[in-house]
Structure formats: C-alpha cells, structure tokens
C-alpha cells in the first residue's frame, strides 16, 4: 500500500463516532482496575473490541459489563498471567471474539513486591520477573499468528514500564530490573515484526499514577501469589505523607502532581492510535516530566 493511501486510511479512522480504533481487537492485561481498566474504557469508546484480562474475575467482569452497558464491545477473560494455560486460552478466546483477528496487546498486568536488595527473597525476585517479563513474552509469542499477518490492518503492542525501570528505585531491584527488561522486548518485537508485517511495538513508562499501587499501604490492598501468599500493595503511609505533603511535595515532578489513571490510559491510547503510526520501538515517559 502506498504511503498516501496509508495516511488517507489513517485519517479516515479518525472520523467519529467510529473512533480511532474502530473494529480493532485489543487484549489488555490487568484491566480489572486501575490504568488497565481505564485503558479498556477509552479503547472501547474509540471503537475497539476489548478483551478484559485480570486475575480478579469479579472486577474483570464488572469492567466488561460496564463497557457493554455503554454500547461498547467487551468480554472478560479472567485468569492468572503466571499460568501458561491461561495465556494460551486468553489468545484463543480473543481470536474467537475478534473473528480471527487480534490487533493490539497491552501488557499491563503487574504489581510491586518491594524489598531492599539484601532482604529480597528468591520468591519475591522470581515472581516479579515472571509477571512483568516472562508473561508478556509468552503472551506475545502465543499471539504471534495474529500479528505475523499481511492484511494491511494496524497491529500494535505496548509494554508497560515505569520510571523505576528507566532510572532504578531504592527498594525495587526486582521491579526495576523487570521494568527495564520490557524495553528490550519491545525493541526486539519492533525489529522482528515491523519490516514484514508492520507491527509497531512501544513501551509506555509511568511515573506516579494514582491507583492502589501508589495508595497508602494501610488501605489494605493486596494480591495473592499462586501458592496463596498475600502481598500487601501500596506505599507505607508515613513515607507517602513525607513525599506528598508540605512545601517539598511532588518537587521531583515538574507538573507538581501525580497523574490520574485516565491520563495514563490516554497516553496508551495515543500510542496505539493512527496518530502514532510512524512511532515504533520507543519508550514514552508519562511522568509529568519527572526525571528529565
Ligand atoms: N500506578 C503507578 O504509579 C505505576 C507507575 C509505573 C508503572 N505502573 C505499572 O502500570 C501497570 C498497571 O498498574 P496499576 O497502577 O493500574 O495497578 P492496579 O493494581 O490498579 O492494576 C493492576 C491489575 O493487574 C492485575 N494483576 C496483578 N497480577 C496479575 C496476574 N498474575 N495475572 C493477571 N492480572 C494480574 C491486578 O489484579 C490489577 O487489576 C503495572 O504494570 C504497574 O507496574 C504503575
């Protein structure tokens, strides 16, 4: 297809009410809440058929129902990204939902399990690497038949990273390594699947986004590992208070505030949209300017 035809088609996709992702099938992992759920809502509003993947079945179903109630198209496929059978089933169900097509994968599922280096256990280490690196790789590998195609339809993969991955963060050796790792996976997908199939792959790295991961630990959110261990989520209240209150609050963020889940999700939408059709292999920082 010629360059001008592609541009014309991309522009045509911008026409509302069809939306920027009209008819595209998107798997969004970790979309039962937080940034992933908001991404699913925004994608659906732009005409995508969204596959809500989350270990929390109740929340996944709720997001899918809400999208359908508002006239969007969604299915919930709950399960654990640490389970290979689940990943293969997720791709199969997404393919059926999309009548043989999958256009977008957002590798977003994740949590933090912090510890300073000398106290981090093997289990803490292995779980975070498995969820943030191995699972996205396995999902992309399982979905390869849907991306290595020549049908002139857009294909885009986004891996979610963090400022911890780009700059390191005390107490997060496991998470920092994993979030740095996805940038290499992203660039490799861009190089392997870009030339022949036009697949774009990008990393979106968040700074401080308001979700349960950045809420006070005392609020009690937790995840359960496959062997039943509860891992508390969030930032210790005292540490959070010291960072966020007083004259030094958010001093490290040029915009002077945390971002919302909607702002984070909007950046993901921008990256998969036709507006970014010539952007691939990049790491987009969505941080309010932090770390510049
Ligand atoms: N909130 C932030 O400030 C921030 C900053 C940088 C990066 N991130 C990244 O953004 C992504 C989304 O985080 P969020 O803040 O929306 O968190 P969140 O806790 O609100 O949402 C994450 C979702 O992932 C799901 N999940 C966790 N483990 C899973 C598993 N094994 N299988 C399937 N689903 C699983 C959870 O159930 C949850 O619904 C994560 O990758 C996170 O590391 C967040």
């Amino acid at each position: 297809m010629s360059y001008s035809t592609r541009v014309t088609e991309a522009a045509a996709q911008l026409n509302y009410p069809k939306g920027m992702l009209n008819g595209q099938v998107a798997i969004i992992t970790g979309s039962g809440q937080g940034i992933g759920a908001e991404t699913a809502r925004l994608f659906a509003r732009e005409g995508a058929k969204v596959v809500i993947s989350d270990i929390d079945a109740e929340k996944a179903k709720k997001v899918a129902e809400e999208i359908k109630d508002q006239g969007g198209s969604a299915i919930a496929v709950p399960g654990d990204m640490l389970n290979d059978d689940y990943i293969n089933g997720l791709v199969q169900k997404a393919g059926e939902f999309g009548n043989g097509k999958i256009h977008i994968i957002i590798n977003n599922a994740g949590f933090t399990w912090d510890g300073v280096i000398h106290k981090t256990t093997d289990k803490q280490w292995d779980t975070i690497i498995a969820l943030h690196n191995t699972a996205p790789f396995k999902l992309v590998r399982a979905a390869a038949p849907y991306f290595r195609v020549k049908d002139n339809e857009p294909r885009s993969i986004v891996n979610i990273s963090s400022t911890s991955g780009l700059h390191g963060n005390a107490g997060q050796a496991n998470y920092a390594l994993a979030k740095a790792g996805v940038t290499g996976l992203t660039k490799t997908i861009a190089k392997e699947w870009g030339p022949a199939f036009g697949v774009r792959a990008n990393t979106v790295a968040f700074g401080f986004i308001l979700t349960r991961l950045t809420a006070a630990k005392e609020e009690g959110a937790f995840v359960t590992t496959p062997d039943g261990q509860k891992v508390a989520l969030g930032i210790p209240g005292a540490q959070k208070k010291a960072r966020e209150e007083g004259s030094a609050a958010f001093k490290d963020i040029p915009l002077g505030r945390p971002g919302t889940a909607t702002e984070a999700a909007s950046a993901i939408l921008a990256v998969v949209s036709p507006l970014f059709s010539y952007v691939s292999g990049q790491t987009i920082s969505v941080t309010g300017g932090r770390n510049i």
Side-chain angles (χ1 to χ4, degrees):
M1 190 193 299
S2 73
Y3 170 72
S4 61
T5 312
R6 272 176 188 271
V7 170
T8 310
E9 285 199 0
Q13 282 191 314
L14 293 175
N15 286 338
Y16 287 83
K18 283 184 177 172
M20 290 195 287
L21 305 181
N22 182 31
Q24 292 191 50
V25 180
I27 298 176
I28 306 165
T29 70
S31 49
Q33 65 201 309
I35 297 165
E38 196 57 8
T39 303
R41 293 183 193 104
L42 294 185
F43 278 22
R45 220 173 292 161
E46 292 297 334
K49 298 174 69 156
V50 291
V51 179
I52 311 295
S53 156
D54 203 289
I55 195 168
D56 191 324
E58 290 288 302
K59 287 181 179 164
K61 285 177 194 158
K62 205 171 152 215
V63 173
E65 287 309 318
E66 182 194 301
I67 287 172
K68 284 191 280 183
D69 285 349
Q70 292 178 7
S73 177
I75 49 162
V77 184
D80 186 353
M81 284 301 291
L82 295 173
N83 178 334
D84 290 359
D85 290 341
Y86 168 66
I87 291 178
N88 293 330
L90 172 62
V91 170
Q92 194 194 328
K93 283 180 186 150
E96 286 164 11
F97 178 58
N99 295 320
K101 306 234 179 196
I102 303 172
H103 301 86
I104 298 169
I105 291 176
I106 311 297
N107 273 310
N108 167 77
F111 62 88
T112 48
W113 194 358
D114 296 351
V116 286
I117 292 169
H118 59 291
K119 291 185 181 170
T120 296
T121 64
D122 283 356
K123 188 172 162 192
Q124 247 172 310
W125 181 264
D126 294 342
T127 305
I128 292 301
I129 307 301
L131 181 56
H132 293 263
N133 289 165
T134 311
F137 163 70
K138 287 183 174 175
L139 177 56
V140 168
R141 183 178 63 183
Y146 295 92
F147 281 77
R148 295 171 56 81
V149 289
K150 296 183 178 181
D151 59 5
N152 285 320
E153 293 180 20
R155 295 285 184 309
S156 181
I157 293 173
V158 172
N159 294 316
I160 300 303
S161 183
S162 161
T163 44
S164 298
L166 305 186
H167 305 283
N169 194 21
Q172 291 193 321
N174 54 356
Y175 185 72
L177 179 104
K179 289 304 200 188
V182 298
T183 62
L185 175 63
T186 295
K187 290 176 185 179
T188 303
I189 298 166
K191 287 183 174 178
E192 282 194 18
W193 295 356
F197 308 109
V199 176
R200 295 190 300 113
N202 290 287
T203 300
V204 175
F206 295 123
F208 185 168
I209 307 297
L210 294 167
T211 68
R212 66 179 187 160
L213 286 192
T214 50
K217 216 166 201 160
E218 290 76 2
E219 287 184 20
F222 66 87
V223 291
T224 310
T225 63
D227 62 354
Q229 184 173 346
K230 283 186 176 178
V231 179
L233 300 178
I235 300 170
Q239 191 183 319
K240 194 171 151 62
K241 206 170 169 203
R243 205 166 80 185
E244 296 174 17
E245 291 178 14
S247 58
F250 305 121
K251 216 172 133 196
D252 58 334
I253 304 175
L255 282 180
R257 62 173 178 86
T260 65
T262 308
E263 288 176 306
S266 300
I268 300 175
L269 170 61
V271 170
V272 302
S273 82
L275 299 172
F276 268 54
S277 66
Y278 199 55
V279 178
S280 193
Q282 303 305 304
T283 302
I284 318 291
S285 285
V286 181
T287 61
R290 197 173 172 193
N291 299 117
I292 52 174

